[in-house]
Amino acid sequence: MTFSSQSVMMANRAPYTPQSLPEAFYQTATNEGRMRQAAALPEAPVVPDETFREPVMRPPPPVEPEPYRIGVGDRVLLATESAGTTVEELSGLLAAQTQRQGFTVRDDGTISIPDIGQARLAGLTLEEAENELFDVLIANELSPAVALEIAEFNAHKVVVGGAVGSPTVVPITLQPLTLGLAVAAAGGLDVPEPRFATIRIFRNGTLYQIPVDTFEDDADLQNLILRSGDAIFVDLTYDLDKALSYFQQQIDIISLERESRRQAFSELQAEIGFRQAALNERRSNFRTRLELGAEPRDYVYLSGEVASQSRVPLPFDQRASLADVLFESGGFDVTTGNPAHIYVLRPSPDPAEFGAVTAWHLDATNPAAFTLAGRFEMRPDDVVFIEAQPITRWNRTLRQFFPVLINTAQSAVTE
């Protein structure tokens, strides 16, 4: 049948699924991994009661409110603005919003979004982080209409201990954490006589202190903004020894936690390296088998007046057109090949019709008709045949006929 829009549509209806590359070519070696948990906070050390001394008022310098900056260990959640849809649906993941799943900021300050890549969020405000994600999604040709929220605040903390209802670690969230809020989060003050108690604040190697009775009567002191890493201890002993012992324990715990995280991150990097090496080995083995012909492939066969009588492998994970096959194989020489007679021969896939062939005829001298070659999808075992020019057939006949005439003449002369 002649090439036409209808005949091309009929030819393309033949079922065909292109061969896929092995799974190793789609896998990545990245993994969020899980960091070790820090040890539990120690109990406040016990020291004997001592003689009362009037607490000295030495409050920390005021801190200006600043936007929250995302840090290592924070758990972030990405969601689109439309209800019920998450950004993970764009990358083929499970719905993170409904399951409250998201991404943990790793030790290198990044999150890894499958099928998209890495985005560095540590040290950024929410607005700056959304701009960073906007650039990453745009670079991957995905919709940038996403919103970012922090599901778990783990990066910035304040430790509260001593004479409080429940010693605890208070995370710093989007709202500035004040001294009053931190004490309330620890169950409030547990002091029998406020006049004899002191709130001590350890910050960056400097110890500050506020008498409890002054703290309870001064709203400005209650609204003092705390910084990440501050340690608060409510002391009843009127002495610094107990507070300093507590602070030393907290410093030791922080050091152990950091060392544990560094070791876990090192193990994670090693694991990713092993996985990457295994993936590269599987990919290399596949390429080698492909070069040696040990992997099954789908082929299209070229014959007639083509640049090279050959078979052309169909590509992985996509479909090839007649134009792809002709041009990738070097095309054909129009001085010998007849562009008016290009044929595609397709055997019937039905075993009951063994030997049946469907043929399509393309007249490439018509530019409009040749555009259909780019839309005609090839199938395994198709044969592309290009007929020779009439003059080519005549020249070949003469080349075969002249040696016969010469040999006959020589024989006559000899006789």
Side-chain angles (χ1 to χ4, degrees):
M1 62 183 70
T2 304
F3 264 64
S4 65
S5 298
Q6 291 75 17
S7 63
V8 169
M9 290 177 61
M10 291 177 58
N12 292 346
R13 288 197 187 108
Y16 171 59
T17 301
Q19 289 183 311
S20 297
L21 288 168
E23 186 179 358
F25 283 86
Y26 300 95
Q27 293 176 334
T28 61
T30 57
N31 182 14
E32 283 195 68
R34 293 190 177 182
M35 299 299 163
R36 295 183 178 88
Q37 298 295 324
L41 292 176
E43 295 294 334
V46 178
V47 295
D49 293 338
E50 298 183 0
T51 305
F52 170 76
R53 287 174 292 183
E54 189 71 24
V56 178
M57 178 70 172
R58 190 167 58 250
V63 175
E64 292 297 327
E66 294 181 352
Y68 184 87
R69 295 191 176 273
I70 298 171
V72 173
D74 280 344
R75 190 79 171 166
V76 298
L77 183 66
L78 308 181
T80 59
E81 295 178 352
S82 59
T85 302
T86 66
V87 72
E88 290 180 313
E89 293 177 0
L90 301 177
S91 56
L93 300 179
L94 297 174
Q97 188 176 14
T98 57
Q99 297 187 15
R100 303 303 298 169
Q101 295 178 355
F103 303 95
T104 300
V105 180
R106 303 181 298 187
D107 286 72
D108 61 356
T110 65
I111 62 172
S112 180
I113 307 175
D115 299 332
I116 294 180
Q118 293 185 345
R120 182 173 296 278
L121 302 186
L124 303 182
T125 64
L126 276 176
E127 182 179 359
E128 292 169 345
E130 286 183 340
N131 292 336
E132 174 68 15
L133 291 170
F134 179 94
D135 294 338
V136 171
L137 294 175
I138 286 294
N140 286 270
E141 300 181 355
L142 295 174
S143 171
V146 298
L148 175 69
E149 64 178 284
I150 303 177
E152 298 176 17
F153 297 87
N154 300 316
H156 307 294
K157 307 170 185 176
V158 169
V159 178
V160 183
V164 291
S166 177
T168 186
V169 175
V170 183
I172 295 178
T173 63
L174 298 179
Q175 297 298 325
L177 180 62
T178 64
L179 181 57
L181 291 176
V183 171
L189 297 171
D190 185 17
V191 294
E193 178 52 62
R195 190 170 67 91
F196 299 148
T198 304
I199 299 176
R200 307 191 193 276
I201 303 172
F202 185 78
R203 175 184 294 171
N204 293 336
T206 302
L207 187 64
Y208 306 95
Q209 59 187 29
I210 300 173
V212 169
D213 57 347
T214 306
F215 168 80
E216 292 182 330
D217 296 333
D218 192 336
D220 291 337
L221 293 176
Q222 297 173 16
N223 291 327
L224 281 175
I225 296 177
L226 301 177
R227 299 176 58 180
S228 179
D230 284 355
I232 300 167
F233 187 86
V234 181
D235 191 4
L236 299 177
T237 64
Y238 331 116
D239 189 82
L240 296 180
D241 292 342
K242 182 176 179 182
L244 289 176
S245 175
Y246 179 81
F247 296 141
Q248 183 60 51
Q249 288 177 323
Q250 298 304 317
I251 292 172
D252 292 342
I253 289 175
I254 292 173
S255 299
L256 290 173
E257 182 180 17
R258 289 178 178 173
E259 180 61 30
S260 177
R261 291 181 68 85
R262 279 196 295 268
Q263 183 175 354
F265 184 62
S266 177
E267 293 173 359
L268 182 61
Q269 286 182 313
E271 180 183 352
I272 291 176
F274 290 139
R275 291 186 180 184
Q276 186 64 60
L279 285 175
N280 290 337
E281 183 178 8
R282 291 202 295 271
R283 294 169 184 172
S284 176
N285 290 341
F286 174 78
R287 292 189 184 100
T288 302
R289 291 197 304 270
L290 204 61
E291 293 174 359
L292 297 176
E295 289 290 334
R297 293 295 303 272
D298 293 331
Y299 293 98
V300 170
Y301 300 89
L302 297 179
S303 63
E305 295 301 318
V306 292
S308 175
Q309 307 280 332
S310 60
R311 63 178 186 177
V312 178
L314 293 177
F316 290 101
D317 295 317
Q318 60 180 339
R319 302 187 180 193
S321 67
L322 174 59
D324 294 332
V325 172
L326 288 176
F327 288 107
E328 288 184 6
S329 62
F332 63 96
D333 188 351
V334 295
T335 59
T336 59
N338 190 349
H341 293 285
I342 300 177
Y343 298 91
V344 178
L345 310 177
R346 179 171 297 171
S348 173
D350 189 352
E353 298 179 353
F354 181 77
V357 174
T358 303
W360 287 271
H361 172 222
L362 172 63
D363 182 0
T365 59
N366 181 356
F370 190 73
T371 60
L372 296 174
R375 296 163 52 190
F376 188 95
E377 295 179 0
M378 305 305 295
R379 296 293 184 265
D381 299 326
D382 279 357
V383 176
V384 179
F385 177 81
I386 300 178
E387 197 172 283
Q389 293 276 14
I391 187 64
T392 302
R393 293 197 300 269
W394 173 248
N395 287 338
R396 290 172 179 169
T397 301
L398 290 179
R399 284 200 301 268
Q400 293 176 353
F401 184 61
F402 279 153
V404 176
L405 292 178
I406 294 172
N407 290 337
T408 303
Q410 287 177 347
S411 298
V413 172
T414 302
E415 292 177 356

